[in-house]
Structures are given as C-alpha cells and as structure tokens.
Amino acid sequence: MELLDNLGLGLSVALAPYNIAFCFLGVLLGTLVGVLPGIGPTATIAMLLPITLKLAPETSLIMLAGIYYGAQYGGSTTAILINLPGESSSAVTAIDGYQMARQGRAGVALATAAIGSFFAGTVATFIIAIFAPPLTEVALKFGSAEYFSLMVLGLISSVALAHGSVVKALGMIILGLMLGVVGTDIYTGTPRFTMGFLELADGLNFVAVAVGVFGIAEILRNLENETDREVGAKISTLWPTKADFKAMFAPILRGTALGSALGILPGGGAILASFAAYTVEKKLSRTPERFGRGAIEGVASPESANNAGSQTSFIPMLTLGIPANPVMALMIGAMIIQGIVPGPEVASSQPRLFWGIIASMWVGNVLLVLLNLPMVGLWVRLLRIPYFLLFPAILVFASIGVYSVNSNVFDLYTMAAFGLLGYILAKLDCEPAPLLLGFVIGPMLEEHLRRAMIISRGDPLVFFDRPISAGLLIASALVMVIVMLPSVAKKREEVFVEED
C-alpha cells in the first residue's frame, strides 16, 4: 500500500499542468537533439542547467529527465532513415533498421522502435518505483567508509565501460578528480590550485565545465566533420503486421530485461545494453544470417534495451547520489544548484521530487509515443538544416546560460578553455565522460575519505574492517583485473565503436 501511496503522490506531481508542460518540453527537446546528430542530451542538459534556477526542483528535473530518455527515442529515427545514429546507443539499431528502410519498411521499423521503447520505458519506471525505496533504506546505513568505497567502485566501473583505451579512461578519471579539488579546502579553509584567481575560491563552475567539455567541444567537432545528409527513405505505413508483432514480442521482453539490469552500471550501461541485446538476439535466432539484412528483431531488442537502460540509470542517482553516466552527473549538478543534497535522504526529505521524477517517466513515455510517430516528417526535414546555421544559435544560447548562473565573465573564459580541452581530448581519442564523472564525484570522494580517516584516527584499515566497504573495494579490484584480460579487452573494442 505504501508503494501505491507513493506512486499516487508522484502522479499528483507529474500530472500537474505546469509539470506536464515542462515534461513535454523536455521530451520534445530530447527528441530534437536525438534526431540531430552531434548535439546529444549531455550537451543540451549542460546548456539548460542555468534555466533550472528559475524553476521548482521537481519541474526542472522532470524536464531534464525528459530530455535524456527523449534523446534515446529520437536517436533511432536517423539511425533507421539515413543510417546515422543520433545517439551512440542507437548505433546498433541502424544495422537492421536502415536495411528495413531500404526495403520500403521504414515506417514499420520506426513503429517497432517506438513500441519497444514505450514498453521498456514503462517497465523500467515500475522497476525504479519498486527497487529505489529499499536501496534508499540500505544506503541510509552507509557510513563514510562505505560511501568512499562505493564511489571508487563507480569510478572503476565507468573506466571499464568507457569507450577506447582503459588507460586513457583512467587518465580522464584522475584529471576529473584533480579538477574537482580546485577551490577552498573543506576542512582548513585553505585555497588550493586557484593560481591566484579569486573566482576559483569556490571551485570551477560546474555548468561552465560541462558546457565547455560537451557543448563547445561538440560544436568544434561537428564543424570539422560536417557532411551533407541524404534523406531518401519513404514512409508508406507505420503499422506492423501480425507477423511483425509476433517476431518482435520476445526480443522486446529480452531487451527490456537486459537494459533494466545493465542500465544501472556506471559509465555506459544503456550503450552496452543495446549491443548486448543485439548479440543475444543474433545468438538465439534460428536464422542469424537475417541480421544485418533487415531483421525486425535487430530493431526491437536494442531499442527496448537502450530505453530501459537510460531510465534505470536513475536508480543509483536517486538512491545513492552516485551518477551512473555523465547525464546523471548533470542531474546531480541540477539538484545541487537547487540546494538539494543528493543521496538517500532525498526520498524522505523531498518525497515530491523523488516520486515526481519516477511518475513523470511514464507520462514522458506516453508523450513520446504521441509525439514521435506523427511528427516523423518534421524530424526528417530538420535533418536538412545545415549545421553552420545551427551552431551560432547554440553557441550564443550556451554563453548566455553559463553567464547567467553567477553573472561572471570568468565563467565564459572557463567554458571556452574547457571547450578547447574537450576538443583536444576528442582528437586524442580520450572520452570526456569519465572526466565529468570524476569532477562531480571528486569533492564527495575526498569528503568521505577524510571523514572516515578522522573517525578512525588515521587508520586506513577502516575501509577493510567494515564488511560492506571491504566488499566494494574487492569488487573494484576484480573489475579492473577482469577488464584488463585480453579476451575482455578485445570484446570492448568490438562493442564500443566510436560513431562519428
């Protein structure tokens, strides 16, 4: 009964006209950035963070959440129609989705993606509602030692699931941790690594760093790699046949299960889920040779997996205050901007926010189905807009947003500097996502490390004397050992292919 009462509270928040309007705005923007390759939800959310200061906490987070899972929907549109995934997690969808489009079944492929995404999103919402409260209760029993070890496991897992070289990903984590300690020491009040700039006394501006690394760097990359987009797929019918429904039923169930489980993993759970779902379907199929030639299962399962994964990634953010991916790091940043301390106390201290976000996911999934299929023609036409017309507006919007947070010109310099850094890192094949995770988690990691050491009077064995903490550290070590194995390293190279 308590669960039903909580869901009722969440629905009362999510169904408020004001929140529905911003949920619709979020999923609309999410679909838009998913359709337009090269922008992405991370950069979009980073640029919209300043706006959240003017909104109620639950309204702002409902909108930002809508952008994230809306982008997963939108990414499949370009993947199917022009073989250009708008999102990394939609890369697998392009394999069979584009072949279906070439065979005159683009509408069926789009409908399959929408049906799988809606079902997976609905199931994932109930999974969050069921498992988030018990995890919150467990997290309330955590001390500083357990939190430190949990954050170490999260960072190590993000290294394991990052694109490209493990060494480079580890380097990005360390760089992010170093940037996170810039500012004033939390215990002594001593300035650290400020280089004499008073503006750095409170640390680097989170919004400026995020917009620079993801927004400005992406603009530079897109200007360098811009190509003409040919949109030629014709959409005759959207409704799948009875045979199509029969073929997609089991893959949607399997994709939803895989995505729900893997989405919780830090780093790139939704991306990993879509690749894993495709691999499972191909192995289970009696006719694996159909895959890559327009198999409807190759669209249904990955799309279900990446949407389920994108929503279950909210579980560690809502229950533990630990971001599972860069978008969740930005969501935590939005909570901090609103004066909310992320962690297990959110469920008890901010029940309207906690349950409002969960309930809004189901509302958002309904809006996405109503929005995506009827407006496919509009999304296709948007693809014809040259990028050189889009980027000035994006740049101006990003600059105004960053400046509005503190009304400080120094933040614009910070944004520009990190934009250049993000571009250089991309050229060196260093993924910026672990950097942002390290930057967000760094201050919390330091605080819990020092607090645990103070409580134990400087005894480092405190992290191994407590069973949960020791188990988490052992798990971290095992993850690093496993990911360095040659067979696992080879598999990572096959799965995490950078889509340009």
Side-chain angles (χ1 to χ4, degrees):
M1 287 302 295
E2 185 180 357
L3 176 61
L4 294 177
D5 291 339
N6 289 329
L7 285 174
L9 172 64
L11 284 171
S12 69
V13 174
L15 293 176
Y18 191 67
N19 289 333
I20 289 179
F22 276 93
C23 184
F24 178 79
L25 177 62
V27 297
L28 178 65
L29 285 172
T31 302
L32 179 62
V33 300
V35 166
L36 294 173
I39 301 176
T42 308
T44 305
I45 291 174
M47 289 186 284
L48 288 175
L49 279 179
I51 294 177
T52 62
L53 286 167
K54 307 295 183 182
L55 302 174
E58 55 267 24
T59 303
S60 62
L61 289 169
I62 284 172
M63 180 185 71
L64 296 180
I67 292 172
Y68 179 43
Y69 53 79
Q72 309 302 318
Y73 269 72
S76 65
T77 302
T78 48
I80 290 168
L81 294 179
I82 59 173
N83 199 27
L84 186 62
E87 275 296 294
S88 299
S89 57
S90 298
V92 182
T93 305
I95 298 173
D96 282 282
Y98 182 61
Q99 292 303 317
M100 289 181 69
R102 292 183 66 186
Q103 296 164 15
R105 306 188 72 211
V108 175
L110 289 168
T112 301
I115 292 168
S117 298
F118 175 75
F119 177 82
T122 302
V123 171
T125 300
F126 282 105
I127 289 174
I128 296 172
I130 293 168
F131 288 102
L135 284 173
T136 299
E137 292 180 11
V138 172
L140 287 170
K141 300 176 182 178
F142 275 30
S144 290
E146 286 81 6
Y147 265 112
F148 171 80
S149 301
L150 179 65
M151 290 177 192
V152 170
L153 177 59
L155 291 174
I156 294 298
S157 298
S158 70
V159 169
L161 294 175
H163 293 218
S165 166
V166 173
V167 175
K168 289 180 179 178
L170 192 58
M172 290 297 95
I173 285 285
I174 294 171
L175 178 59
L177 291 172
M178 292 172 63
L179 293 171
V181 300
V182 172
T184 304
D185 186 287
I186 55 176
Y187 286 103
T188 66
T190 305
R192 302 181 301 184
F193 309 110
T194 59
M195 297 176 288
F197 292 103
L198 292 176
E199 293 87 350
L200 292 177
D202 292 328
L204 289 162
N205 185 297
F206 172 77
V207 177
V209 172
V211 172
V213 169
F214 288 98
I216 305 304
E218 279 299 308
I219 288 174
L220 295 174
R221 290 181 66 189
N222 290 333
L223 288 173
E224 181 183 37
N225 300 322
E226 185 182 9
T227 57
D228 292 330
R229 300 160 187 157
E230 293 293 333
V231 184
K234 301 296 182 183
I235 301 173
S236 55
T237 178
L238 285 170
W239 195 249
T241 65
K242 185 177 180 181
D244 290 331
F245 277 113
K246 184 178 179 181
M248 72 171 77
F249 179 74
I252 286 176
L253 292 178
R254 287 190 287 264
T256 300
L258 267 173
S260 299
L262 295 177
I264 302 172
L265 297 176
I271 302 172
L272 180 64
S274 62
F275 279 92
Y278 188 84
T279 302
V280 167
E281 291 307 315
K282 193 172 181 179
K283 287 185 179 296
L284 291 177
S285 176
R286 296 178 180 177
T287 54
E289 67 276 3
R290 292 172 47 250
F291 284 77
R293 299 179 182 179
I296 196 170
E297 300 93 324
V299 175
S301 189
E303 278 302 300
S304 301
N306 69 40
N307 279 275
S310 68
Q311 290 191 205
T312 55
S313 64
F314 280 81
I315 291 178
M317 189 275 286
L318 288 172
T319 59
L320 304 171
I322 304 294
N325 53 50
V327 172
M328 292 304 107
L330 292 169
M331 296 285 282
I332 285 179
M335 293 174 71
I336 293 172
I337 289 173
Q338 292 278 2
I340 299 170
V341 179
E345 294 84 5
V346 172
S348 55
S349 63
Q350 301 279 344
R352 286 178 57 83
L353 172 70
F354 185 88
W355 291 102
I357 293 174
I358 292 174
S360 74
M361 292 178 186
W362 185 80
V363 176
N365 275 282
V366 173
L367 291 174
L368 279 167
V369 172
L370 299 176
L371 177 70
N372 269 259
L373 295 181
M375 297 180 68
V376 166
L378 173 62
W379 305 131
V380 172
R381 282 193 288 274
L382 283 171
L383 289 168
R384 295 191 175 98
I385 300 175
Y387 192 74
F388 70 83
L389 295 178
L390 286 175
F391 91 85
I394 297 172
L395 189 60
V396 169
F397 183 76
S399 300
I400 293 173
V402 168
Y403 180 78
S404 66
V405 175
N406 295 320
S407 300
N408 192 338
V409 176
F410 186 83
D411 291 340
L412 295 178
Y413 293 131
T414 302
M415 179 188 73
F418 276 92
L420 182 60
L421 174 63
Y423 175 73
I424 293 171
L425 292 176
K427 300 297 287 185
L428 296 174
D429 292 325
C430 295
E431 189 185 5
L435 184 151
L436 187 63
L437 290 174
F439 179 69
V440 172
I441 290 180
M444 296 186 288
L445 186 76
E446 180 196 12
E447 181 180 355
H448 287 294
L449 169 65
R450 294 176 68 175
R451 186 181 297 168
M453 293 296 285
I454 290 171
I455 293 172
S456 67
R457 298 183 180 181
D459 184 6
L461 293 178
V462 66
F463 300 105
F464 297 94
D465 290 339
R466 300 171 71 96
I468 296 177
S469 176
L472 292 170
L473 289 176
I474 291 170
S476 303
L478 287 174
V479 169
M480 279 305 296
V481 170
I482 291 171
V483 82
M484 297 301 288
L485 293 175
S487 58
V488 177
K490 183 179 179 181
K491 193 66 177 176
R492 286 180 75 256
E493 292 177 4
E494 294 174 0
V495 172
F496 292 112
V497 178
E498 193 67 39
E499 294 290 334
D500 297 321

